[in-house]
Amino acid sequence: MEKIMSNKHPIVLRFKSMFPGSMAKMMMHAKRRGGPLDHVEMAFAHRNRILHGENFVAEVGVEILEMKKQNRDAEVSALNAQNRRGKAKERQELGLIDPWKSSDNGPLREVVLTADTDYFRAAADAPEDKVMITYGITEHGETVQHRLCKDKVAAFEKRGREFFEKFFPDALRHLRLDLDEETPHFHGLLLQRTAKTSGRRGEQHLIQPTSHPLLKNYEHAQDEAGLFFSTIGLRRGEEHAKRQRAAKDATTSVPTAPRNTSPNEYRKSWQKSMDGRQQAIAAQEAETKLQRILAARDRTRAQSEASMASEKNRGADERISEAGIAKASAEAFFSALTVGVNAIETRQIDYQEKTETKKEGLKYGPKAPKKKSDRKKLEDIIRPAYKKLINFARSLFQNRQREKRMELAAAENARRAAVLAKVREDKGQERIVWLDEIAMGTAHGKYEEASFPGAWAIRQGQDVVAIQARTDALTNVALRSCYRATSDAVRLCDRQPTLRANFDRAAQVLEYGAMQRGLDLGTGKHDPDGASDPARARLHVDVDPEPIHIRVLNRQRYRVRG
């Protein structure tokens, strides 16, 4: 085993507050279906390991819902025990209430645990079987390769799991180790519970991060982390807060704590300079819809609370109850949406197409709960958001159908190639190697850019201005022809991630160029009035004399590397 470095690298431990409504977004990113993915190497996604809470969105959603019900029932029982029947009835009608104190910060804690890339770096003479490759982006937007030591990564994983088991045994709801980005890191979700009992409200179960000593005092958390990871050559980070307090007490100028720009923030800043960047991923569209619904829910909650305060000042108790009911409905809708989205993604629930005998709706999928009681519980939770969930399920179903059609088309091409190869063999003609390869399904992994005449490949880091100029120079007919050849290259290079990414990047540019000038790649029709860029609408007005319909690719645009 390669020797672990001395304690000169800091352990990085960060906590971030989060509302339950953001769990679906966290899950999408964990599954690499949404969120910022430009820094992720999809070819390395198989390395990632979920260590705890694979279905944390549904599990936490159900847990919070049960806490709300327990708190309501306990408070109603306590009020009835004190013969405060009116108050008990009012509390019952008010419905479910969030089990945490209202504030700008969410009750959950998202946690990231890592170290800098240099800590994991392998020695120059390390054998290749002990090296793990990752990729990053320099300040100039160029890709850089890192050679990491597998032994150090394994030691970090072992110690990291022990850290969470020791300090957060009851709060941990999700934990995974991501190894498809520049630096190995843990990503987790903490839900710290506590219980308080009073005569008026009974036993109330609350989500209270400050009830945990490490979440209450982040400096203490850094101290513990530094001590715990010292055994594998890491140390505590700089004590900026302590230095600031000391400087303030000494009435000297307070040093400004350095603000580290995260890789994600830097990538976002760099990405803004890239023209033609489009992210048309179905899961991201569904995520946007979800966020809009959650925003509407928050507005409903705010309106409900404002209505309650106003009506209370006027002494209209019955209107307060109505507002409380509206709030409870919004809470139920939120819980239904959160749990339902996760159930659809994990195939517990599937989309039911409309037939002559059945309406469009939802049905149980291959991963549905086995017990009837669990199925009934799932039905009850998602019922308030049933119609919205149908739209989300339909989108994923259509994506799966398109993928299935592409697989069938590939199988049919292999079959036809096999028939043609057999005919040539029967006629005593010379065998064609590439035809045999397609028939046997072994053609993958041997293509080059030159293998696809007429196709366009764009490598990462090429000049954006030059790419735009090259696109503008293409006539409408040439652009469609280039796109057709490039699309074929994307389909055939699925087992050569780097080459496929280059062709896929070019296909995106060609689609964007067609949109700029108002050219329909499918039909070949040119509509300058429908162009997104009027300056380029009439650069070229030529059309195919006999247009051929082209099926435009519908693909998820991930960064991949061979």
Side-chain angles (χ1 to χ4, degrees):
M1 175 183 291
E2 186 173 337
K3 184 179 179 181
I4 300 293
M5 287 184 179
S6 60
N7 296 47
K8 67 177 183 178
H9 296 286
I11 184 70
V12 179
L13 176 63
R14 295 195 183 102
F15 299 103
K16 181 180 179 181
S17 62
M18 190 177 80
F19 283 97
S22 299
M23 290 193 300
K25 183 178 180 180
M26 185 177 179
M27 170 66 85
M28 286 181 182
H29 185 65
K31 294 184 176 181
R32 302 311 189 226
R33 296 179 180 174
L37 296 174
D38 58 307
H39 62 291
V40 172
E41 292 295 338
M42 294 304 296
F44 298 157
H46 64 279
R47 297 174 177 171
N48 297 345
R49 290 190 279 278
I50 295 180
L51 309 174
H52 183 77
E54 185 172 0
N55 297 317
F56 71 94
V57 175
E59 293 168 354
V60 173
V62 171
E63 181 178 2
I64 292 176
L65 184 61
E66 290 178 347
M67 291 174 70
K68 294 177 183 180
K69 292 178 179 179
Q70 290 171 358
N71 292 346
R72 177 199 59 194
D73 295 343
E75 187 170 356
V76 170
S77 298
L79 290 170
N80 281 326
Q82 294 178 345
N83 292 322
R84 303 173 69 181
R85 308 296 182 189
K87 290 292 184 181
K89 181 179 179 181
E90 182 179 312
R91 178 62 186 89
Q92 182 70 41
E93 292 175 347
L94 187 58
L96 305 179
I97 300 176
D98 289 336
W100 60 82
K101 290 183 178 180
S102 179
S103 71
D104 294 336
N105 297 321
L108 306 179
R109 290 295 180 267
E110 184 179 11
V111 56
V112 174
L113 179 68
T114 185
D116 60 62
T117 309
D118 285 338
Y119 166 75
F120 296 101
R121 202 172 301 282
D125 58 350
E128 291 304 313
D129 62 339
K130 292 291 185 180
V131 173
M132 174 186 294
I133 300 297
T134 65
Y135 294 92
I137 299 177
T138 68
E139 60 182 6
H140 302 296
E142 299 174 347
T143 299
V144 59
Q145 185 185 89
H146 300 294
R147 299 176 75 256
L148 307 186
C149 173
K150 289 184 177 179
D151 290 339
K152 292 180 182 177
V153 174
F156 176 73
E157 177 183 2
K158 180 177 182 297
R159 198 58 176 160
R161 296 177 72 164
E162 293 171 348
F163 177 80
F164 286 103
E165 290 171 359
K166 176 180 179 180
F167 293 103
F168 301 101
D170 300 322
L172 191 64
R173 296 297 182 271
H174 172 65
L175 183 66
R176 69 178 189 272
L177 180 65
D178 287 345
L179 298 172
D180 58 353
E181 300 180 35
E182 182 173 9
T183 306
H185 62 276
F186 287 96
H187 204 151
L189 179 69
L190 304 176
L191 186 156
Q192 180 62 35
R193 295 182 58 157
T194 187
K196 298 182 179 180
T197 304
S198 67
R200 190 185 71 82
R201 302 186 66 189
E203 185 179 45
Q204 296 290 299
H205 296 269
L206 304 175
I207 303 177
Q208 187 177 24
T210 54
S211 65
H212 192 291
L214 268 62
L215 299 179
K216 182 178 181 180
N217 187 331
Y218 285 177
E219 288 186 72
H220 178 48
Q222 299 297 335
D223 292 338
E224 292 289 355
L227 182 62
F228 193 86
F229 284 92
S230 63
T231 59
I232 60 170
L234 292 170
R235 61 170 175 80
R236 189 200 193 284
E238 295 295 332
E239 299 184 69
H240 301 297
K242 184 176 180 180
R243 293 213 318 264
Q244 284 183 309
R245 288 195 302 272
K248 187 174 182 180
D249 293 339
T251 66
T252 61
S253 59
V254 179
T256 302
R259 181 183 180 276
N260 294 323
T261 301
S262 68
N264 188 35
E265 288 176 321
Y266 174 78
R267 281 185 287 268
K268 285 182 178 179
S269 175
W270 175 74
Q271 189 175 17
K272 288 181 180 178
S273 65
M274 299 294 289
D275 294 333
R277 202 74 166 175
Q278 297 180 347
Q279 296 178 344
I281 303 173
Q284 289 176 301
E285 295 175 348
E287 177 189 338
T288 301
K289 294 179 183 178
L290 176 61
Q291 295 304 321
R292 288 176 182 170
I293 293 168
L294 294 178
R297 166 253 182 178
D298 290 338
R299 287 195 298 271
T300 300
R301 176 189 294 177
Q303 292 167 0
S304 173
E305 292 174 348
S307 175
M308 289 173 64
S310 176
E311 295 299 332
K312 187 172 183 179
N313 290 335
R314 292 196 295 266
D317 293 339
E318 66 282 0
R319 298 292 296 276
I320 296 176
S321 297
E322 292 176 1
I325 293 172
K327 179 184 177 183
S329 298
E331 294 291 348
F333 180 80
F334 159 70
S335 296
L337 200 64
T338 302
V339 175
V341 166
N342 180 72
I344 292 169
E345 283 191 327
T346 56
R347 300 297 300 276
Q348 298 177 57
I349 297 175
D350 273 345
Y351 173 68
Q352 170 65 56
E353 290 186 281
K354 182 180 179 180
T355 64
E356 295 181 357
T357 58
K358 294 182 179 180
K359 295 181 179 180
E360 181 187 45
L362 302 175
K363 63 180 181 179
Y364 286 113
K367 302 294 185 180
K370 302 299 182 183
K371 295 182 180 180
K372 290 185 178 180
S373 58
D374 291 338
R375 292 193 174 195
K376 181 63 167 58
K377 188 175 182 179
L378 183 59
E379 288 179 13
D380 292 340
I381 293 174
I382 70 171
R383 185 172 291 111
Y386 188 82
K387 291 184 178 180
K388 291 293 183 182
L389 291 173
I390 290 176
N391 296 333
F392 181 78
R394 186 194 306 116
S395 175
L396 293 187
F397 173 78
Q398 291 171 347
N399 283 344
R400 286 196 293 267
Q401 292 295 98
R402 282 192 290 268
E403 292 174 359
K404 186 179 295 184
R405 286 194 295 269
M406 291 180 65
E407 291 175 358
L408 291 175
E412 178 63 14
N413 287 339
R415 186 192 66 80
R416 292 181 180 181
V419 171
L420 183 57
K422 185 66 168 61
V423 170
R424 292 181 61 85
E425 181 183 354
D426 293 343
K427 290 183 178 181
Q429 296 176 347
E430 183 181 357
R431 297 180 64 179
I432 301 177
V433 175
W434 61 263
L435 189 64
D436 292 338
E437 289 177 337
I438 294 176
M440 298 300 293
T442 59
H444 303 289
K446 300 180 181 179
Y447 294 126
E448 300 175 352
E449 290 183 7
S451 303
F452 302 92
W456 187 7
I458 298 178
R459 298 177 183 179
Q460 188 171 5
Q462 286 189 228
D463 181 61
V464 176
V465 176
I467 292 173
Q468 181 68 67
R470 182 179 176 184
T471 306
D472 291 343
L474 294 173
T475 65
N476 291 340
V477 173
L479 192 150
R480 287 189 75 220
S481 176
C482 182
Y483 179 81
R484 185 163 52 243
T486 304
S487 300
D488 291 340
V490 172
R491 294 188 182 94
L492 292 174
C493 294
D494 59 330
R495 295 191 183 180
Q496 287 179 259
T498 301
L499 186 59
R500 185 184 189 279
N502 294 341
F503 283 124
D504 187 61
R505 196 176 292 112
Q508 296 178 41
V509 170
L510 293 170
E511 290 173 8
Y512 183 69
M515 182 176 65
Q516 286 179 310
R517 61 179 70 180
L519 176 64
D520 189 329
L521 288 173
T523 64
K525 293 182 179 180
H526 181 221
D527 179 16
D529 294 334
S532 65
D533 186 348
R536 291 183 168 84
R538 299 187 182 278
L539 279 176
H540 305 283
V541 294
D542 61 304
V543 295
D544 280 322
E546 295 183 6
I548 300 173
H549 185 79
I550 299 174
R551 180 172 295 175
V552 179
L553 284 175
N554 186 354
R555 60 192 174 280
Q556 294 183 341
R557 295 170 185 167
Y558 292 143
R559 215 172 138 230
V560 293
R561 187 182 307 278

